[in-house]
Amino acid sequence: MQFLLAFVVAAPLLGAVAALLPAPPGLKGRSPEQAVLRHGVTVTGVILAAAIALALGFDHNAPSRFQATTDISWIPALDVRIHLGVDGISLPLLVMTALLFFLCALYSYFKLPAGPSPKAFVALLLVLECGTLATFAVLDLLLFFLAFETVLIPMYFLIARWGGAQRQAAAWKFILYTLLGSVVMLLGLLLIGVTADTFDMVALASDNGRELSRTTQLLAVLAIGIGLAVKTPMWPLHSWLPDAHTAAPTVGSVLLAGVLLKMGTYGFVRILLPVTPDGMQTVAPYLGAFAVVGIVYGSLACLALARKGNKGDLKRLIAYSSVGHMGFVLLGIASMSPTGVNGALFANIAHGLITGLLFFLVGALKDRYGTADLDTLAGATGAALYGRAPRLGALLAFAAVASLGLPGLAGFWGEMLALFGAFDPAEGLSRPAFLTYTAIGAFGTLLTAAYLLVVVRRVCMGDPKAGPELAVADVQHYEFAAWTPLVALTVLAGLWPALLLGLTDPAVQQLLAGGNS
C-alpha cells in the first residue's frame, strides 16, 4: 500500500520524462507519433490500475485513518517532509483523477488535437497528472502548495498550443488569475506553518487550531481562501474559466472541469475546516453568500447563452454551469456540518464524472459540425440529433439530466445533501442566513433544469428531414470506450450513494471534530 501510493504520485513524472525520449525500435509501431500516444495510454492505464489496487487494499473499516502513508524528512531546516497518505476524503478523488487521465489519453490516441509535437502533448498531460494526484495525496502544507502549482504550466501550454480560437488570451488569463491567487495562498500557508511551528497537515488538523489565535486563523482563511476560491472557481473570481474552457482542447476541458476545479474545494475541506475552524466560522456566512450568488449567476448566464439568436457557445455554457455546480459544493462546505461537507465531497465526484462526460460530448459535436455554436447546432445543420446520430443524442440527453440532478443519478445526492447541510448548519452559524441560502440554492436547481432542458430540446429534438441531408457519424468505438465508464459510474453513484458516503462520512466526522472522534 505504501509503495502503491508513492508509485501513483511519482509514476506520471517518470512517464513524462520517458515520453520525451526516443522510442525503442521494437515499440515504434507505424510512426513515432503513434508510439508516444500509446505510451501515454500505457502509463495512465498502469497508474489507474495502481489506484484501483490502492482502493481495493484500503481498509474500509477505518476510512478516517490515513493509510498507505510515507513520511520522510525532505528539508530539515524548515521541517518540511515528504508526507503522503490517503483517507476516505482523498481516495475517491485520487481514483477519479487517475480514471479521467486514462480516458483522456485513450481518447487522444484516436483523436489528437491539432497542435505541435505529440511528444510534448503526452509529456504535459503526464506532468499535469503528477501535480493533480500529488495534491490529493500530500500531507504537508508546502508540498501541497508545490503540487497545487505544478498543474499551472502544463495546463497553460495545453490551452495555448493545442487550443482553439483565442487560445493565447485564454491561457494567459488562466495563469495570471491562478498565479495571483496562489501568491496570496502561499502567504496564508506560511502564516499557519510558522505560527504553529509545523507544516504537517495531520498534526495541524489534530490540533484543530488551538495553537492559532482567532486573528491568525481569520487572516489565514482569507489568504488561503482567495487562492482556493480562484481555482474552484467561486463567483466573482470565476471569469477566467469560461474563456479557458472555450479555448481548450476537448481533453483539456475534461481535465479542467473534472480534476483541477476539485483541487480548490479539496483545499477548503483538507486545510481550512480542520486547521482554522474559528476563522472558517467567521467567514462561512460570506462564503455561503458567494456560493448561492454563483449558483444563480451561473444558471442565468447559461439561460442567456441557450436562448435562440444569442450565438451561445455550448462549451462556454457548460463552463458557466460549472460555476453553478461548484457553488453547491461551496455551500455545503460553508455549512460546516457533516451533512453539508459530505454533500460537497459527493458533488465534487459527481461533477467530475458528469461534466467530464459533457465536455467529451460537446467536443465530439464540435468535431462533427466544426463548431460549438448553439444556434448552428440547433439550426438546420444540427437539429434533431436523435434522428441523425441517436446514440450521441441519447448520451447528450443522459448527461444533461444527470447534470440537472435527476434522482437516481450521481448529480442528485451531492446537491441535495449540500442543501440539507445549509438547512441545518453547524452550531454558531446564523440559521436564518443559511435558510435563505437554502431557498436560493433550491431555486438555482430549477434554473439548472431549465437551461439544460432547453439545450436538449434545441440540439436533440426536431425533424431530421427538415434540414439538408448530412452524414453525421454516431458514437465511434474509441468514444464508446472513453465515455462508458463515466456513464456507468454516474448511474452507480446515483443508485448506491453509500459506496461513496461510507468512505467520506467517518473521515468528515473526525475532521470536523479535530481528530477527537
Side-chain angles (χ1 to χ4, degrees):
M1 290 285 286
Q2 190 178 26
F3 168 78
L4 277 175
L5 182 58
F7 175 80
V8 164
V9 172
L13 195 58
L14 299 176
V17 174
L20 298 174
L21 301 175
L27 298 177
K28 285 184 178 179
R30 290 193 298 271
S31 68
E33 289 78 11
Q34 186 199 42
V36 74
L37 291 172
R38 187 169 59 239
H39 170 79
V41 176
T42 303
V43 173
T44 54
V46 169
I47 293 165
L48 174 60
I52 292 172
L54 185 68
L56 293 174
F58 187 83
D59 183 0
H60 291 258
N61 293 320
S64 60
R65 176 172 57 85
F66 284 103
Q67 301 178 35
T69 54
T70 298
D71 192 1
I72 304 169
S73 179
W74 184 36
I75 308 176
L78 297 176
D79 193 28
V80 178
R81 310 182 68 81
I82 299 177
H83 193 182
L84 307 176
V86 289
D87 64 352
I89 292 172
S90 55
L91 182 64
L93 290 165
L94 202 76
V95 175
M96 183 183 73
T97 298
L99 173 66
L100 285 175
F101 272 94
F102 170 70
L103 297 180
C104 286
L106 181 65
Y107 187 85
S108 300
Y109 180 81
F110 295 96
K111 195 71 179 178
L112 182 68
S117 162
K119 278 192 170 188
F121 178 84
V122 172
L124 288 169
L125 199 68
L126 291 172
V127 172
L128 185 64
E129 183 174 22
C130 178
T132 51
L133 289 170
T135 300
F136 301 131
V138 297
L139 297 174
D140 182 276
L141 288 180
L142 291 185
L143 276 184
F144 176 86
F145 177 78
L146 290 176
F148 198 86
E149 296 305 290
T150 298
V151 306
L152 300 185
I153 300 303
M155 182 53 75
Y156 166 82
F157 281 110
L158 286 174
I159 296 172
R161 304 303 296 276
W162 284 270
Q166 305 296 321
R167 59 181 183 267
Q168 291 288 348
W172 273 111
K173 197 171 185 179
F174 161 75
I175 201 163
L176 286 175
Y177 263 77
T178 48
L179 272 178
L180 288 173
S182 297
V183 169
V184 181
M185 184 175 76
L186 177 59
L187 296 176
L189 295 174
L190 291 174
L191 175 63
I192 289 175
V194 171
T195 306
D197 201 28
T198 181
F199 289 98
D200 187 85
M201 291 159 66
V202 178
L204 288 166
S206 297
D207 185 68
N208 204 217
R210 284 182 284 271
E211 292 291 324
L212 306 174
S213 68
R214 192 178 188 90
T215 302
T216 301
Q217 289 191 37
L218 183 58
L219 290 173
V221 167
L222 291 174
I224 298 171
I226 288 172
L228 298 174
V230 170
K231 188 69 72 72
T232 296
M234 181 185 77
W235 180 91
L237 303 174
H238 68 284
S239 60
W240 61 270
L241 183 72
D243 292 339
H245 271 307
T246 305
T250 296
V251 294
S253 294
V254 171
L255 295 174
L256 190 58
V259 180
L260 266 68
L261 303 191
K262 312 303 175 284
M263 295 165 62
T265 51
Y266 175 77
F268 276 104
V269 175
R270 176 62 73 206
I271 298 173
L272 294 185
L273 282 178
V275 177
T276 56
D278 293 338
M280 271 299 291
Q281 191 170 58
T282 302
V283 171
Y286 304 100
L287 181 62
F290 284 123
V292 294
V293 170
I295 292 170
V296 175
Y297 170 83
S299 299
L300 291 176
C302 289
L303 276 172
L305 289 169
R307 286 183 61 188
K308 187 176 181 179
N310 280 4
K311 291 290 181 182
D313 187 285
L314 195 48
K315 287 186 75 176
R316 195 174 190 87
L317 184 148
I318 298 171
Y320 272 111
S321 79
S322 291
V323 176
H325 288 305
M326 298 311 288
F328 283 102
V329 177
L330 289 171
L331 180 61
I333 293 169
S335 74
M336 297 184 69
S337 67
T339 303
V341 176
N342 274 302
L345 294 171
F346 199 105
N348 254 348
I349 299 297
H351 180 265
L353 298 173
I354 297 167
T355 308
L357 177 60
L358 275 169
F359 275 116
F360 268 135
L361 292 166
V362 175
L365 286 174
K366 191 171 184 179
D367 289 337
R368 285 158 171 78
Y369 291 111
T371 181
D373 177 74
L374 191 55
D375 284 341
T376 303
L377 292 174
T381 59
L385 195 60
Y386 287 149
R388 298 177 187 272
R391 293 183 183 85
L392 188 59
L395 280 171
L396 181 62
F398 170 85
V401 297
S403 184
L404 64 83
L406 185 73
L409 298 176
F412 170 73
W413 296 105
E415 295 183 2
M416 184 194 72
L417 290 172
L419 291 174
F420 279 175
F423 183 79
D424 187 19
E427 187 178 349
L429 296 179
S430 170
R431 183 98 194 280
F434 275 87
L435 285 176
T436 305
Y437 301 157
T438 304
I440 297 172
F443 176 67
T445 63
L446 301 178
L447 295 177
T448 302
Y451 71 75
L452 285 168
L453 292 175
V454 168
V455 168
V456 172
R457 179 180 61 80
R458 295 192 65 198
V459 176
C460 295
M461 297 180 181
D463 183 3
K465 297 179 182 178
E469 290 294 328
L470 288 175
V472 180
D474 212 336
V475 178
Q476 303 296 299
H477 66 282
Y478 67 91
E479 294 172 330
F480 183 80
W483 302 343
T484 299
L486 300 178
V487 173
L489 289 172
T490 298
V491 174
L492 180 63
L495 296 177
W496 193 14
L499 185 67
L500 185 57
L501 293 173
L503 280 174
T504 61
D505 186 53
V508 167
Q509 296 280 357
Q510 178 161 310
L511 177 138
L512 293 176
N516 295 323
S517 70

